[in-house]
């Protein structure tokens, strides 16, 4: 009703919107929610502002490969108000951003991408992403995603609980002002690892959540460590879960990916990377923060390529890494197109599972995929089927979401709790 009020777009109306926050979420039919997104044009109405489109990009909802076309918010004539309505499942969770564009080449390229030209559409999206902004009306903390632009968080009412993240979420933008992040805890140390085998250097974060029984603490290796250290700091949630008794005192090692090129090389079933971790890094970790060196409690956790690498490490070196936490694992690697077309030979790691990797040892796995990820969802289904057929213990969860850290952060904590719980 607020969008049809006579004072829509006025200062008093906007003050009320800022107090209420956005997006607006209302109950809809058949397990759906009606969602309204709002954006305020900082340059005023259509006569004063050069903005002609405000594209919306929603993780797992916006299809960058389809010829259905992008979606733009709509301006209320004579005002600085842009809005867009959609429907989302009541268990959905994901991130989103706005992309305001002037009436220039960027608008034209994205609006006029030829039907069926998936490469052209993806290129057009890449062209407009540098203009992406987070939602200033959203009271939750925004962050920078893997593409390097700001995104905001949206949780439907029945999305799986993420109580441990509430403290970090509460540090969100308030009326456009971003509150500084939580300070790093005393139990956090950053080290520089120079690998002779890999010929490169990277940051390593070591985080401990207790010192009562140092030699008995389990170890978790978190790939893409720079994300969990900087963009989505995991310290407070880990402490919250430990204090609640959901996680044991533990040692967490966050391994920086260095850059996208080396990430694509090292996290795609690369034996040299894991030999370097095993032979060079882990002895140093033991000196920095003593832990229990047992495959039964050593977790390798990763997302996307990291999820692929985590399972690869545990299958090939199960006497060191016995617990895998894989989220949205890119098990289609190395040939996405062939895997999309149903070629089993395209998925190299799935073939390795079929051949019985693991030295006859039963791994413990927590695997998660989003039901909006299509190909990843399908290859994760197949990976779980094969792993269970080989006798591995697998906890598999499919969530209503996409390829999104907002989903992964909850599954990361749930997976650690499941993998470190007593075996049934």
């Amino acid at each position: 009703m607020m969008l049809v009020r006579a004072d829509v777009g006025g200062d008093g109306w906007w003050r009320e919107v800022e107090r209420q926050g956005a997006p607006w979420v209302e109950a809809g039919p058949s397990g759906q929610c009606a969602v309204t997104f709002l954006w305020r044009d900082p340059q005023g109405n259509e006569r004063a502002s050069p903005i002609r489109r405000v594209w919306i990009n929603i993780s797992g909802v916006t299809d960058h490969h389809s010829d259905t076309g992008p979606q733009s918010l709509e301006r209320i004539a004579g005002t600085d108000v842009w809005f867009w309505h959609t429907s989302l499942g009541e268990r959905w969770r994901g991130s989103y951003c706005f992309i305001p564009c002037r009436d220039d080449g960027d608008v034209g390229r994205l609006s006029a991408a030829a039907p069926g030209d998936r490469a052209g559409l993806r290129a057009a999206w890449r062209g407009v992403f540098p203009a992406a902004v987070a939602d200033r009306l959203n009271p939750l903390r925004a962050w920078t995603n893997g593409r390097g632009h700001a995104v905001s968080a949206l949780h439907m009412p029945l999305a799986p609980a993420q109580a441990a993240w509430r403290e970090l979420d509460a540090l969100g933008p308030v009326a456009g002002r971003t509150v500084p992040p939580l300070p790093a805890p005393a139990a956090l140390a950053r080290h520089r690892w120079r690998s002779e085998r890999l010929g490169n250097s990277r940051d390593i974060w070591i985080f401990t959540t207790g010192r009562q029984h140092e030699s008995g603490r389990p170890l978790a290796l978190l790939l893409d460590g720079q994300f969990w250290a900087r963009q989505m700091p995991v310290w407070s949630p880990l402490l919250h879960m430990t204090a609640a008794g959901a996680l044991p005192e533990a040692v967490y090692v966050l391994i920086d990916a260095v850059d996208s090129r080396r990430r694509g090389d090292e996290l795609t079933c690369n034996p040299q990377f894991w030999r370097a971790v095993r032979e060079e890094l882990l002895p140093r970790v033991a000196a920095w923060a003593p832990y229990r060196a047992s495959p039964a409690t050593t977790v390798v956790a990763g997302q996307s390529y990291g999820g692929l690498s985590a399972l690869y490490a545990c299958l090939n070196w199960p006497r060191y890494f016995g617990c895998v936490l894989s989220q949205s694992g890119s098990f289609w690697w190395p040939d996405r197109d062939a895997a999309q077309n149903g070629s089993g030979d395209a998925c190299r790691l799935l073939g390795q599972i079929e051949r019985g990797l693991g030295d006859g040892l039963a791994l413990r796995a927590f695997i998660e995929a989003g039901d909006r990820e299509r190909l990843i969802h399908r290859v994760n289904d197949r990976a779980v089927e094969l792993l269970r057929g080989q006798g591995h213990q697998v906890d598999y969860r499919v969530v209503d979401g996409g390829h999104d850290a907002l989903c992964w952060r909850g599954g990361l904590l749930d997976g650690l709790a499941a993998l470190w719980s007593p075996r049934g």
Side-chain angles (χ1 to χ4, degrees), residues 102-143:
R102 300 165 183 258
D103 192 9
D104 56 17
D106 286 340
V107 168
R109 281 192 296 272
L110 197 51
S111 299
D117 181 9
R118 295 189 174 190
L121 182 60
R122 290 190 69 189
W125 275 108
R126 286 195 297 269
V128 300
F129 272 133
V133 295
D135 186 352
R136 297 174 69 249
L137 298 171
N138 189 322
L140 301 178
R141 176 183 177 271
W143 73 96

Side-chain angles (χ1 to χ4, degrees), residues 18 21 29 40 62 65 70 111 123 130 139 187 231 284 288 293 297 308 324 407:
E18 289 178 354
R40 186 176 191 178
T62 303
H65 308 270
S111 299
Q231 287 118 300
R284 299 185 190 187
W288 293 331
T297 56
L308 170 73
V324 57
C407 299

Side-chain angles (χ1 to χ4, degrees), residues 154-231:
L154 182 57
H155 311 268
M156 292 301 101
L158 297 184
Q162 292 187 351
W165 291 93
R166 288 175 185 164
E167 184 179 9
L168 188 67
D169 288 342
L171 299 178
V174 179
R177 180 175 60 87
T178 300
V179 179
L182 290 169
L188 173 66
R190 187 173 69 177
H191 301 270
R192 193 72 181 169
W193 172 34
R194 167 68 186 176
S195 170
E196 296 298 327
R197 181 180 287 275
L198 299 175
N200 57 36
S201 299
R202 73 191 72 214
D203 284 335
I204 300 293
W205 292 265
I206 309 292
F207 183 58
T208 56
T209 54
R211 304 185 65 175
Q212 291 187 14
H213 306 288
E214 289 189 344
S215 62
R217 295 179 297 194
L219 173 70
L221 304 178
L222 276 57
L223 302 175
D224 287 309
Q226 73 289 344
F227 181 83
W228 300 109
R230 295 185 176 124
Q231 287 118 300

